């Protein structure tokens, strides 16, 4: 019996040791790169960029594709006529050089103006634009595991400081984080929440180790769909051919478009993006059997050029790419060679997926090309289904100042803490919309492989329609943050399986009463006499690359729902190409409803027609309806009505309009639109909360009825003014209109100091104005005896009980003696910029309030020298309270009590007022002035916009009670079945980490996470330990106790080896 127990103990302990060996080494054996105790490290990707125009290099685009010899002949012929010989064509050594192309890069020596004009006049030349360069810096920062990604503290922003800067700080050239050119979009990890978000403890959803599990891609894999037969292109930093995460034979082509002699990825970004789309090992991608085409467009020094992208795009068309992921972007939607080439790509049936940008939570920060109608623009969320803080927000700013922006992003998906392939194998975790973009691109590739039998219906519009129609709307999030909502892969599959080619709208309805989704439309009712509300709707045409709107859109008011109280006007694309167009709907209140209040409803009906590609086949038609619901109130008193001047705000692109705060050296461009629904949205919401009604003026001052408004609000204006505007404004103020102007810095010497400079190309880019166009504003104020100076001031001060910060503002140079002036001592920031020394400016006037006396009914005028306290872009201390106090003064003549006891100040006559900088190029971008032999002159005053109201076609039926329904596209049959659908998913899907399909996979072989083995091993090990202890207990009870003569360690060895060891 004793011998039996010894043998049992010996084998038992060997088995127990083996079990524990497996438990502690299984992670290494199964997934060597993965940390068993946690997921892979989380990294934040900090991105910095320098951008420039290449000195004397220009992209010449042609009206067609020609061989290199033909293109050279065209350029030679154009330049020969002017006798120019100081030029050369920049060689492009890449895979596309042997194919016909539609552009060349020409480099001039010396003066380029005559050469550019000669090229533009050639009949085969489509356009001539500067060649651009972008230098990117990616810095991967390890985020500690204990950090809470949901905290606002995680935001990576440039700190605002009022401390003096030394000379080297100001001498540094400006580098824009919102680059002029294209850039990668991997950034921070913090998230945006409502200011009122609940911060108490709550159950957090675990971050899945596989992004594919979060979207249930395994279900489609189990049906045999794995991306096979689909060509997907990744434009990034390259990929190693032997990377272990990709199946052999799946990397079909790697091309290098840079000036380096390598195809491999030296940074890791391209590897990560490709892995999210197509990895088949460890951190899995969506389409492991897709054909991968790698386009290396960034060097290891993180430099790229527009021409590299254009050549690569042409090559993608030649290779008949199906899906193209572009995790890059920039604000320049006027970079025509790039934008035009994107249109050409989608027209050739390439489905382009692009990141919407990492400039959130600011509004109006969308990146191109994701903001284009034919591109799927992707925003980011976290695994709590919250919009990621870094994700850029709409609206688009192409349409400003006269129109209104479109809804973007199109959809959102997981873009925070996503695991993907690391450079040398293994996995890493990154965040950014450049992560969300390949998630959608991978899903789109997988979906495309699932409908290859219906290849004729698959195009950029139909895929976008399916994604948007099947998306899950996020609660309490507006449309400019989420678009149509969160990507739902399985519903998108069902939609595509039964899809019938058709046209659709984005947004699919207009409900000015639905908050928060329809923000900002839902925040302000409409009334008679107000500026028309403009809703810019995108038309998607899934029937063909080109289409037209038949006849005209038709306005059909619902008779039982007071639809006749609404007037509607339309502006729309004459041709829908490629795959899309716009429908701008202007909504106003009929005169008959001037005193009526209530909800009015109607619908817009339009028909889209597309010619069939087959002969003797009728054209395709699709009729779509756009429901409209508005809330109408009686016209408010004019004291409550504020008119925001949008017409005189200019922004990048295309000119260099610098930021209003000179401290923001990492972000010098003013590119957010300066609109009440973009970077001034917080100010707008404050005014609405205080009962004011804010309307937007997108035309000259000669086009509004001043008797309807209490105050004209002019903030941070960069545009010039027509002489007729100056005259009319003076007359309007005399008749009772009040004016509030928030200015900004303007100093010619400082403007020259903050010009862009690229050390490599020695190219300067001069600002076209300062923070505001002070010389133009002074012309506007001249009849009132007022003017701003060219001082640049900065500093903290107090006004009443409020702390204030003056961020690169100006001072008042002229003001009527009867007015009230508020002075403070501030730092002379202009002197600091120019001399690198600190100098204080004593008692400078920064605020002036004046009651005109030309008539008894004269209006009031207020000047303040800094707009940064209203602008959310780099807001440090807001002055919304001050704006409310000033409106009380302008609307009701209630002078703020803090200013009533101030002594009168008489300003000395200034030696001279600020002048316009010689040689500035403002006339190139201005709506008011034009160049004339080097001297800008005023353009003719344009006619005021006149809307043509659509004739009503009343329909006598009840309107739908709820305009929002999950969008239903017309289908050819019942919904496609899915396996494992246990119940209808009416709510957002909760995915457990590591969820894998219960059925055997017909697609890729998926290794289960090693954590799934732990419970089994732990159970076996625990059982063996219990048996061992019971056995020892039994032995101790069955034999007499005796004195221990051997150490425990020797006894343990005895039990294992069964032999007695000699003692010492």
């Amino acid at each position: 019996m004793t011998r039996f127990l010894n043998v049992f103990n010996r084998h038992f302990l060997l088995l127990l040791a083996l079990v524990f060996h497996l438990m502690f080494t299984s992670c290494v054996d199964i997934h060597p790169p993965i940390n068993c105790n946690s997921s892979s490290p989380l990294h934040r990707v900090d991105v910095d960029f320098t951008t420039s125009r290449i000195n004397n290099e220009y992209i010449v685009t042609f009206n067609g594709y020609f061989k290199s010899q033909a293109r050279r002949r065209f350029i030679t012929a154009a330049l020969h006529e002017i006798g120019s010989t100081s030029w050369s064509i920049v060689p492009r050594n890449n895979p596309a050089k042997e194919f016909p192309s539609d552009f060349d890069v020409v480099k001039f020596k010396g003066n380029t103006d005559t050469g550019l004009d000669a090229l533009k006049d050639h009949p085969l030349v489509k356009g001539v634009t500067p060649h651009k360069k972008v230098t990117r810096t990616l810095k991967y920062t390890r985020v500690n595991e204990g950090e809470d990604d949901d905290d606002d503290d995680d935001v990576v922003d440039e700190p605002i400081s009022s401390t003096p800067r030394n000379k080297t700080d100001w001498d540094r050239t400006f580098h824009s984080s919102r680059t002029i050119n294209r850039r990668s979009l991997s950034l921070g990890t913090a998230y945006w929440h409502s200011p009122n978000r609940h911060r108490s403890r709550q159950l957090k959803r675990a971050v899945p180790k596989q992004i594919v599990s979060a979207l249930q891609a395994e279900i489609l894999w189990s049906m045999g769909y794995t991306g096979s037969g689909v060509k997907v292109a990744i434009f990034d930093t390259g990929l190693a051919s032997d990377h272990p995460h990709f199946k052999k034979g799946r990397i079909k082509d790697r091309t290098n478009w840079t000036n380096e002699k390598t195809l491999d990825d030296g940074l890791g970004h391209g590897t990560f993006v490709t892995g999210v789309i197509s990895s088949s090992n460890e951190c899995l991608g969506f389409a492991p059997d897709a054909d991968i085409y790698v386009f290396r467009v960034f060097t290891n020094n993180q430099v790229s050029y527009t021409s590299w992208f254009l050549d690569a795009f042409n090559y993608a068309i030649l290779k008949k790419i199906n899906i193209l992921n572009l995790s890059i972007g920039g604000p320049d939607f006027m970079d025509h060679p790039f934008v035009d080439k994107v249109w050409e790509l989608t027209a050739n049936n390439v489905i382009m997926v692009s990141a919407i940008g990492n400039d959130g939570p600011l509004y109006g920060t969308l990146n191109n090309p994701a903001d284009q109608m034919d591109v799927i623009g992707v925003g980011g969320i976290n695994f709590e289904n919250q919009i990621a803080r870094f994700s850029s927000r709409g609206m688009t700013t192409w349409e400003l100042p006269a129109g209104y922006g479109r809804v973007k992003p199109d959809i959102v998906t997981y873009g925070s803490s996503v695991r993907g392939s690391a450079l040398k194998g293994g996995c890493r975790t990154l965040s950014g919309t450049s992560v969300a973009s390949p998630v959608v691109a991978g899903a789109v590739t997988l979906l495309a492989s699932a409908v290859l039998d219906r290849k004729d219906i698959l195009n950029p519009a139909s895929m976008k329609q399916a994604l948007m129609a099947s998306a899950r709307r996020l609660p309490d999030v507006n449309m400019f943050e989420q678009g149509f909502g969160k990507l739902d892969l399985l519903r998108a599959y069902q939609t595509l399986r039964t899809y019938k080619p058709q046209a659709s709208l984005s947004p699919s309805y207009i409900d000015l009463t639905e908050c928060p989704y329809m923000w900002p439309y839902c925040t302000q009712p409409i009334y008679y006499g107000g500026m028309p509300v403009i809703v810019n709707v995108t038309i998607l045409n899934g029937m063909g690359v080109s289409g037209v709107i038949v006849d005209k859109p038709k306005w059909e008011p619902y008779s039982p729902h007071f639809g006749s109280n609404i007037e509607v006007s339309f502006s729309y694309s004459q041709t829908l190409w490629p795959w899309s167009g716009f429908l701008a709907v202007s909504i106003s209140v009929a005169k008959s409803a001037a005193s009526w209040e209530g909800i009015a409803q109607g619908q817009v009906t339009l028909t889209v027609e597309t010619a069939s590609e087959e002969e003797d086949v009728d054209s395709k038609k699709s009729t779509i309806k756009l429901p409209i619901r508005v809330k109408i109130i009686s016209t408010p008193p004019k004291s409550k009505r504020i008119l925001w001047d949008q017409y005189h705000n200019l922004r990048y692109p295309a000119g260099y309009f610098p930021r209003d705060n000179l401290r923001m050296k990492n972000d010098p461009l003013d590119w957010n639109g300066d609109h009440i629904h973009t970077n001034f949205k917080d100010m707008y919401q404050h005014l609405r909360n205080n009962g004011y009604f804010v309307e937007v003026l997108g035309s000259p001052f000669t086009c509004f009825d001043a008797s309807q408004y209490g105050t004209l609000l002019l903030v941070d204006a960069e545009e010039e003014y027509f002489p007729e505007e100056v005259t009319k404004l003076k007359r309007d103020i005399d008749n009772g209109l009040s004016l509030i102007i928030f200015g900004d810095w303007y100093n010619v010497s400082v403007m020259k100091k903050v010009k862009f400079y690229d050390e490599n190309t020695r190219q300067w880019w001069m600002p076209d104005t300062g923070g505001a166009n002070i010389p133009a504003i002074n012309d506007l104020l001249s009849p009132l005896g007022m003017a701003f100076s060219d001082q640049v001031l900065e500093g903290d001060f107090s006004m009443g009980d409020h702390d204030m910060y003056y961020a690169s503002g100006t001072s008042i140079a002229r003001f009527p003696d009867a007015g009230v002036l508020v002075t403070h001592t501030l730092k002379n920031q202009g002197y600091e910029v120019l001399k690198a020394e600190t100098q204080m400016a004593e008692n400078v006037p920064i605020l002036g309030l004046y009651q005109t006396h030309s008539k008894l009914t004269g209006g009031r005028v207020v000047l303040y020298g800094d707009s940064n306290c209203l602008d959310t872009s780099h807001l440090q201390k807001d002055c919304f309270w001050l704006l409310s106090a000033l409106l009380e003064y302008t609307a009701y003549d209630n002078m703020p009590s803090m200013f009533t006891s101030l002594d009168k100040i008489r300003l000395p006559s200034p030696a001279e007022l600020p002048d316009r900088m010689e040689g500035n190029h403002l006339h190139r971008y201005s709506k008011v002035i034009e160049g004339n032999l080097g001297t800008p002159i005023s353009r003719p005053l344009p006619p005021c916009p006149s809307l043509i109201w659509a004739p009503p076609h009343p329909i006598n039926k009840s309107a739908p009670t709820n305009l929002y329904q999950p969008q239903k596209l017309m289908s050819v049959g019942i919904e496609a079945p899915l396996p494992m659908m246990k119940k209808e998913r009416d709510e957002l899907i909760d995915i457990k980490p590591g969820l894998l399909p219960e059925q055997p996979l017909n697609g890729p072989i998926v290794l289960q996470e090693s954590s799934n083995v732990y419970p089994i091993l732990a159970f076996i090990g625990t059982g063996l330990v219990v048996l061992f202890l019971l056995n020892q207990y039994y032995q101790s009870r069955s034999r007499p106790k005796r004195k221990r003569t051997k150490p425990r360690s020797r006894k343990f060895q005895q039990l294992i080896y069964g032999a007695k060891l000699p003692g010492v």
Side-chain angles (χ1 to χ4, degrees):
M1 182 68 181
T2 304
R3 183 177 179 183
F4 169 77
L5 290 175
N6 287 338
V7 171
F8 172 80
N9 286 336
R10 185 187 315 135
H11 288 86
F12 174 82
L13 289 174
L14 285 171
L15 179 62
L16 188 63
L18 176 63
V19 168
F20 279 102
H21 172 74
L22 288 173
M23 290 180 64
F24 288 110
T25 62
S26 60
C27 183
V28 176
D29 291 341
I30 297 175
H31 294 305
I34 300 178
N35 183 347
C36 296
N37 298 322
S38 66
S39 61
S40 56
L42 174 62
H43 286 84
R44 181 181 68 244
V45 186
D46 297 325
V47 187
D48 189 23
F49 299 89
T50 60
T51 58
S52 63
R53 296 178 179 178
I54 306 304
N55 191 36
N56 293 333
E57 287 190 11
Y58 295 85
I59 295 176
V60 180
T61 53
F62 300 94
N63 292 316
Y65 284 79
F66 304 95
K67 292 186 176 181
S68 58
Q69 298 89 340
R71 300 195 308 270
R72 175 176 288 275
R73 286 200 305 269
F74 301 152
I75 295 173
T76 302
L79 298 178
H80 179 72
E81 295 181 1
I82 61 171
S84 176
T85 59
S86 301
W87 60 272
S88 61
I89 296 178
V90 178
R92 311 200 308 273
N93 296 317
N94 57 52
K97 66 180 180 179
E98 302 299 331
F99 298 98
S101 178
D102 60 344
F103 79 96
D104 263 317
V105 179
V106 176
K107 184 172 184 177
F108 289 92
K109 297 179 182 178
N111 184 25
T112 62
D113 292 340
T114 56
L116 297 180
D117 292 338
L119 286 171
K120 292 175 182 177
D121 291 338
H122 193 280
L124 292 177
V125 171
K126 182 179 179 180
V128 182
T129 55
H131 194 199
K132 294 182 180 179
K133 169 188 174 181
V134 56
T135 303
R136 177 183 67 176
T137 303
L138 296 176
K139 180 182 179 182
Y140 295 97
T141 305
R142 177 77 173 269
V143 178
N144 294 330
E145 200 165 322
E147 291 182 13
D148 182 5
D149 290 336
D150 289 349
D151 289 343
D152 293 340
D153 298 338
D154 291 331
V155 184
V156 184
D157 279 333
E158 173 78 2
I160 299 175
S161 173
S162 57
T163 57
R165 305 293 184 100
N166 58 34
K167 186 176 189 303
T168 57
D169 284 335
W170 288 115
D171 280 349
R172 225 176 276 150
T173 55
F174 276 67
H175 302 305
S176 174
S177 64
R178 275 95 172 176
T179 172
I180 309 167
N181 220 325
R182 314 293 153 186
R183 56 191 174 105
S184 167
L185 294 171
S186 276
L187 279 179
T189 55
Y191 315 119
W192 168 250
H193 307 284
S194 165
N196 301 320
R197 75 181 178 99
H198 196 286
R199 296 189 65 89
S200 63
R201 300 181 188 276
Q202 55 182 319
L203 182 64
K204 296 285 187 180
R205 183 177 303 166
V207 176
K209 286 196 172 182
Q210 301 292 355
I211 183 61
V212 294
S213 297
L215 293 174
Q216 295 184 305
E218 304 97 329
I219 294 179
L220 294 185
W221 294 348
S222 71
M223 299 169 66
Y225 306 128
T226 58
S228 179
V230 179
K231 298 179 179 180
V232 58
I234 296 92
F235 279 58
D236 216 288
T237 57
L239 176 70
S241 61
D242 59 349
H243 196 285
H245 282 187
F246 304 96
K247 291 185 176 182
K248 290 184 178 180
R250 293 272 61 92
I251 302 177
K252 296 296 184 181
D253 192 13
R254 297 187 306 148
T255 51
N256 176 35
W257 305 90
T258 72
N259 53 16
E260 294 181 337
K261 304 300 182 182
T262 180
L263 294 165
D264 291 343
D265 182 5
L267 301 174
H269 192 268
T271 302
F272 183 92
V273 169
T274 310
V276 171
I277 295 174
S278 258
S279 171
S280 63
N281 189 15
E282 299 185 86
C283 30
L284 304 176
F286 288 86
D289 287 324
D291 295 339
I292 303 170
Y293 289 76
V294 178
F295 290 73
R296 189 174 186 268
V297 291
F298 274 100
T299 68
N300 287 334
N301 291 328
Q302 304 174 60
V303 172
S304 188
Y305 294 85
T306 300
S307 61
W308 294 354
F309 279 101
L310 299 183
D311 272 330
F313 284 153
N314 285 339
Y315 191 74
I317 295 173
L318 288 171
K319 287 293 183 179
K320 300 186 183 301
I321 294 297
N322 303 122
I323 318 293
L324 192 153
N325 180 79
L326 207 60
S327 291
I328 62 169
D332 190 358
F333 55 78
M334 296 183 71
D335 186 3
H336 288 291
F338 190 94
V339 173
D340 292 349
K341 188 57 66 176
V342 170
W343 286 336
E344 185 179 348
L345 272 168
T346 57
N348 280 274
N349 218 32
V350 178
I351 300 172
M352 179 175 284
V353 183
S354 186
I356 203 67
N358 292 327
D359 298 301
L362 294 177
Y363 282 67
T365 55
L366 303 173
N367 280 221
N368 181 265
D371 61 351
Q372 294 183 212
M373 290 184 286
D374 53 324
V375 175
I376 300 172
V378 183
I381 60 173
N382 63 13
F383 287 102
E384 300 296 319
N385 291 321
Q386 299 161 328
I387 301 295
R389 181 181 177 90
F390 55 72
S391 188
S392 290
R393 273 70 166 168
M395 59 184 178
T396 62
T397 57
W398 293 44
E399 298 79 7
L400 299 180
Y404 195 84
R406 290 169 284 108
V407 175
K408 281 279 183 171
D410 297 307
I411 57 171
V412 294
T413 194
Y414 303 116
S416 187
S417 304
V418 173
R419 293 176 72 244
S421 301
L423 184 61
K424 301 297 184 182
C427 301
R428 69 187 311 180
T429 304
L430 293 179
S431 299
T433 53
S434 72
V435 175
S437 178
V439 170
V440 171
V444 167
T445 304
L446 181 58
L447 289 170
S449 71
V451 292
L452 285 179
D453 58 323
R454 307 190 67 220
K455 204 169 185 179
D456 57 318
I457 62 98
L458 198 60
N459 57 60
S462 63
M463 180 61 76
K464 189 172 179 178
Q465 287 173 325
L467 294 178
M468 295 194 303
S470 60
R472 298 282 183 173
R473 180 178 292 187
L474 302 177
D476 302 322
V477 178
N478 71 57
M479 60 185 178
F480 289 131
E481 292 180 312
Q482 67 168 314
F484 273 69
K486 172 189 171 185
L487 170 67
D488 189 322
L489 179 63
L490 300 185
R491 290 186 69 199
Y493 164 73
Q494 291 178 310
T495 302
L496 277 175
R497 289 302 312 173
T498 60
Y499 173 82
K500 179 180 178 181
Q502 60 199 275
S504 64
L505 303 175
S506 172
S508 57
Y509 66 95
I510 299 172
D511 188 350
L512 273 61
T513 68
E514 181 190 4
C515 272
Y517 182 74
M518 280 282 169
W519 186 95
Y521 295 110
C522 62
T523 59
Q524 183 168 295
I526 63 175
Y527 41 84
Y528 175 71
M531 292 288 175
V533 173
I534 303 174
V535 183
N536 206 332
V537 179
T538 297
I539 306 171
L540 292 174
N541 179 21
M543 299 180 293
V545 65
S546 181
V548 295
I549 295 178
V550 179
D551 297 327
K552 295 180 179 180
K554 184 187 297 184
W555 166 236
E556 299 175 332
Y558 289 115
S559 297
H561 298 275
F562 311 101
S564 60
N565 291 334
I566 308 175
E567 290 184 326
V568 173
S569 179
F570 305 114
S571 174
Y572 53 91
S573 302
Q574 297 299 318
T575 301
L576 309 180
W577 184 91
W579 310 104
S580 58
F582 72 90
L583 170 67
V585 183
S586 298
I587 306 172
S588 191
V589 177
K591 186 175 183 180
S592 59
S595 58
W596 183 82
E597 295 193 358
I599 304 296
Q601 293 184 247
Q603 68 180 22
V604 176
T605 302
L606 68 153
T607 300
V608 175
E609 181 178 22
T610 296
S612 176
E613 296 179 358
E614 301 176 7
E615 295 183 2
D616 302 326
V617 177
D618 293 338
S619 60
K620 304 173 186 177
K621 290 185 179 181
S622 177
T623 299
I624 39 183
K625 300 182 185 299
L626 179 71
I628 295 178
R629 176 189 287 150
V630 300
K631 181 180 180 180
I632 299 175
I633 62 172
S634 56
T635 304
K638 75 172 191 176
S639 58
K640 284 292 186 181
R641 294 176 63 181
I642 301 170
L643 189 61
W644 171 271
D645 176 25
Q646 187 68 41
Y647 185 78
H648 296 95
N649 285 329
L650 299 175
R651 85 283 184 206
Y652 177 87
Y656 173 19
F657 298 101
R659 271 293 190 196
D660 306 321
N661 187 345
L662 288 172
R663 290 290 179 199
M664 298 298 103
K665 296 184 65 179
N666 71 319
D667 187 17
L669 294 175
D670 192 351
W671 68 286
N672 300 148
D674 285 348
H675 193 277
I676 57 172
H677 298 151
T678 57
N679 50 311
F680 288 97
K681 66 174 287 286
D682 291 346
M683 179 208 71
Y684 164 77
Q685 200 60 55
H686 172 83
L687 293 175
R688 286 296 299 127
N689 293 341
N690 284 272
Y692 290 100
F693 295 85
V694 188
E695 301 172 35
V696 177
L697 176 65
S699 53
F701 291 160
T702 53
C703 298
F704 77 95
D705 182 1
S707 65
Q708 300 294 312
Y709 301 93
T711 304
L712 172 65
L713 186 55
L714 196 157
V715 179
D716 185 26
E718 295 90 0
E719 181 62 281
E720 296 284 338
Y721 298 88
F722 292 104
E724 295 87 344
E725 289 184 287
V726 177
T727 302
K728 180 180 183 292
L729 183 61
K730 175 62 168 64
R731 184 171 64 248
D732 290 340
I733 293 174
D734 290 343
N735 291 329
L737 177 70
S738 292
L739 173 67
I740 297 179
I741 295 181
F742 280 75
D744 256 304
W745 71 271
Y746 184 97
N747 184 284
V748 172
S749 299
V750 173
M751 289 164 61
K752 293 179 179 179
K753 187 72 174 179
V754 300
K755 59 188 175 182
F756 273 110
Y757 180 69
D758 180 67
E759 294 85 353
N760 297 321
T761 62
R762 290 190 286 274
Q763 175 75 25
W764 291 101
W765 199 15
M766 196 73 68
D768 294 305
T769 69
N773 190 345
I774 294 301
I777 294 175
N778 287 345
D779 289 345
L780 186 70
L781 293 173
S782 179
L784 300 171
M786 304 177 186
F788 286 109
S789 75
D790 64 354
Q791 282 186 291
V792 184
L793 305 167
E794 178 200 30
D796 295 290
F797 64 97
S798 296
M799 189 176 289
D801 297 329
H802 300 273
D803 292 331
M804 302 283 287
Y805 176 65
Y806 214 66
S808 305
T810 187
S811 63
I812 299 174
R814 288 180 183 170
F815 209 72
D817 294 341
V820 175
L821 283 173
V822 178
T823 64
H824 283 280
T825 298
L826 298 169
K827 188 194 318 179
N828 188 337
Q829 191 180 32
Y831 187 85
E832 181 184 348
V833 171
L834 299 174
K835 303 294 186 181
E837 298 176 2
T838 300
Q839 183 185 77
M840 304 304 294
E842 302 288 338
N843 298 321
V844 288
I846 59 174
L847 173 65
L849 304 90
Y850 177 65
Q851 167 69 64
T852 62
H853 298 286
S854 56
K855 292 185 179 180
L856 295 177
T857 58
R860 287 162 284 277
V861 180
V862 176
L863 304 184
Y864 187 68
D866 181 30
S867 70
N868 284 282
C869 57
L870 301 178
D871 188 341
T872 314
S873 297
H874 298 292
L875 185 64
Q876 182 171 355
K877 298 175 183 177
D878 72 72
C879 61
F880 301 150
W881 70 270
L882 176 62
L883 179 60
S884 294
L886 298 180
L887 287 170
E888 281 289 313
Y889 172 68
T890 58
Y892 305 107
D893 196 19
N894 293 332
M895 175 69 74
S897 58
M898 69 183 74
F899 305 141
T900 54
S901 59
L902 294 176
D903 296 332
K904 296 290 183 182
I905 299 175
R906 181 187 292 271
L907 292 178
S909 297
E912 59 182 21
L913 296 175
D915 288 328
R916 293 169 177 82
M917 184 170 64
E918 292 185 7
N920 75 80
H921 299 142
L922 183 63
H923 62 276
R924 295 180 179 176
Y925 323 110
S926 173
K927 304 176 293 293
V928 177
I929 60 174
E930 59 185 351
N932 181 37
L933 300 177
T935 303
I937 60 173
S938 179
R939 299 175 187 266
L941 181 69
C944 295
S946 179
L947 297 177
I948 300 176
W949 303 112
H953 297 80
I955 49 178
N956 190 22
K957 71 174 185 179
S958 297
T961 56
N962 181 19
L963 298 190
Y964 169 61
Q965 300 290 341
Q967 190 176 2
K968 296 288 186 181
L969 296 177
M970 291 189 300
S971 63
V972 295
I974 60 175
E975 287 189 346
L978 287 172
M980 300 174 56
M981 296 296 288
K982 297 180 180 179
K983 62 180 180 178
E984 290 296 317
R985 299 174 302 127
D986 294 328
E987 300 177 350
L988 293 173
I989 300 173
D990 290 332
I991 305 298
K992 295 181 180 180
L995 178 64
L996 293 175
E998 298 170 3
Q999 303 177 6
L1001 297 182
N1002 298 323
I1005 298 175
V1006 181
L1007 293 175
Q1008 292 196 0
E1009 293 287 345
S1010 57
S1011 58
N1012 294 343
V1013 183
Y1014 296 162
I1016 299 173
L1017 295 177
F1019 178 77
I1020 295 173
T1022 303
L1024 292 174
V1025 169
V1026 171
L1027 289 175
F1028 175 75
L1029 294 176
L1030 288 175
N1031 177 61
Q1032 293 300 309
Y1033 176 74
Y1034 172 77
Q1035 285 184 342
S1036 64
R1037 293 288 303 271
S1038 63
R1039 61 176 179 261
K1041 294 182 179 180
R1042 62 189 180 196
K1043 188 175 180 180
R1044 191 185 305 270
T1045 59
K1046 293 184 175 69
R1048 291 186 180 181
S1049 61
R1050 299 185 64 195
K1051 184 176 181 180
F1052 184 75
Q1053 293 172 340
Q1054 244 185 311
L1055 288 171
I1056 295 178
Y1057 297 102
K1060 294 187 178 182
L1061 301 176
V1064 177

